[in-house]
Amino acid sequence: MVYYRLLRDWVPMAAKLMAPESAKVVLVVSGTVDEESRGWAESGYGIRIWDRGNILEKAPNDRIRDAFERFFALSDAYPLSGGTQNILENRAAVEKFIAEADLGTWAVSRGRKLIGRLNTTPAGREAARQYEELCVDMISYLFGDVLVDGEPQLYTESELDRFDVVYRVSPNANNAIWDALVRDFRARVIVFECKNYSEAFGPMQVYTTERYLSVRALRTVCFMVTREEPNAHAYSAAQAAMRQAGKLMIFLTNDDFTKMLRRRDAQLKHEPGSEGWKGMDPAIHLDEKIYKMLATMPR
């Protein structure tokens, strides 16, 4: 049993980890928790508790469930209240169990981890650098085999303009979607601007970013990364930049990245170059957004 006297310390500590807009924190314990303590943690602190029953219930297959059952039996045989010698024996027994247990590949995918970071990174100026670093990690995971030579915080030669992150498309990537993007828009440089705003932004942010783009410098494509969908005036400004100056500006929201990260996780289960690999390419999502932007653009 995990008694209330322990939860009284653990639950408030776990509650401190909750960000204002994050999902609820889950406190995982290796013992059993009574329903009254569960209700206290949920109603008083918004903390969900997973105990032995939940862990066994959520095990993805019989092998994992059996491993947990044996682990719980092992921990019961070596209670931590038995003094220093008992604790050392417990550690040795647990390490031996982990080394011998055939748990298979049960690691959380990198895409799911990035989605977790995306959902818990706070919005606002103070977390702008944290958000930018997350964006670089997501772009690297999604398109690292196509976009190369990433340069964060890069200034133009005049030092008047600064881009969040720029890349070039590898000529050896053999990716039809990115090849078409480079060809159709004469882009040698792909720009990503990261906007960690808590609210939808308007056309002014589009006008400011558009100044960085240059048809002559073959820097005509920019993906503006933002948490929420920009307002309608921002979309109108982006379409005007395309119509009048040939500069392509595409908005990518948290929802877009979540979809692409899940698709990338699925893609990596296939052999590179196979039909499954091509069919799950996260760049397909970019292609769909570009098509929609061009197809709805007025004359």
Side-chain angles (χ1 to χ4, degrees), residues 1-3 5 18 32 52 82 153 158 180 192 243 263 274 282 298:
M1 291 293 297
V2 178
Y3 297 107
R5 61 181 173 80
M18 296 177 68
T32 302
R52 288 188 180 189
Q153 303 287 329
S158 65
F192 285 82
R243 187 173 62 251
R263 182 170 288 183
S274 67

Side-chain angles (χ1 to χ4, degrees), residues 43-220:
S43 61
Y45 293 90
I47 298 290
R48 287 180 295 171
I49 297 178
W50 288 4
D51 67 354
R52 288 188 180 189
N54 301 110
I55 293 171
L56 294 174
E57 177 186 343
K58 296 176 183 298
N61 54 53
D62 292 339
R63 186 179 70 254
I64 299 296
R65 188 179 299 105
D66 178 66
F68 271 120
E69 287 177 342
R70 287 184 286 124
F71 180 79
F72 293 147
L74 179 66
S75 63
D76 288 342
Y78 293 93
L80 293 180
S81 58
T84 304
Q85 184 60 36
N86 206 316
I87 292 174
L88 292 176
E89 291 177 0
N90 173 283
R91 177 181 296 177
V94 168
E95 289 176 349
K96 183 175 183 293
F97 167 79
I98 292 173
E100 295 177 352
D102 178 21
L103 301 183
T105 55
W106 195 40
V108 176
S109 67
R110 186 178 173 192
R112 287 177 58 190
K113 290 180 180 179
L114 289 168
I115 291 170
R117 287 174 59 190
L118 185 64
N119 291 334
T120 56
T121 299
R125 183 183 296 273
E126 292 183 357
R129 187 58 183 271
Q130 180 182 349
Y131 185 69
E132 182 180 301
E133 291 172 352
L134 170 60
C135 290
V136 170
D137 289 344
M138 291 192 296
I139 295 165
S140 175
Y141 179 59
L142 290 168
F143 309 117
D145 47 354
V146 179
L147 300 182
V148 295
D149 297 338
E151 292 282 355
Q153 303 287 329
L154 184 70
Y155 283 85
T156 59
E157 188 173 352
S158 65
E159 297 189 355
L160 295 177
D161 297 324
R162 183 188 63 78
F163 315 115
D164 281 351
V165 200
V166 298
Y167 299 87
R168 70 178 179 89
V169 177
S170 171
N172 303 317
N174 191 28
N175 185 291
I177 295 174
W178 285 103
D179 290 344
L181 188 64
V182 170
R183 180 189 66 241
D184 295 346
F185 297 95
R186 299 184 67 243
R188 293 296 299 271
V189 176
I190 306 295
V191 180
F192 285 82
E193 284 288 307
C194 308
K195 307 293 185 184
N196 192 35
Y197 299 153
S198 57
E199 299 178 354
F201 63 71
M204 188 56 64
Q205 284 74 21
V206 177
Y207 299 145
T208 301
T209 302
E210 183 194 352
R211 293 190 303 105
Y212 302 163
L213 305 182
S214 170
V215 174
R216 290 178 179 271
L218 304 183
R219 193 170 62 238
T220 58

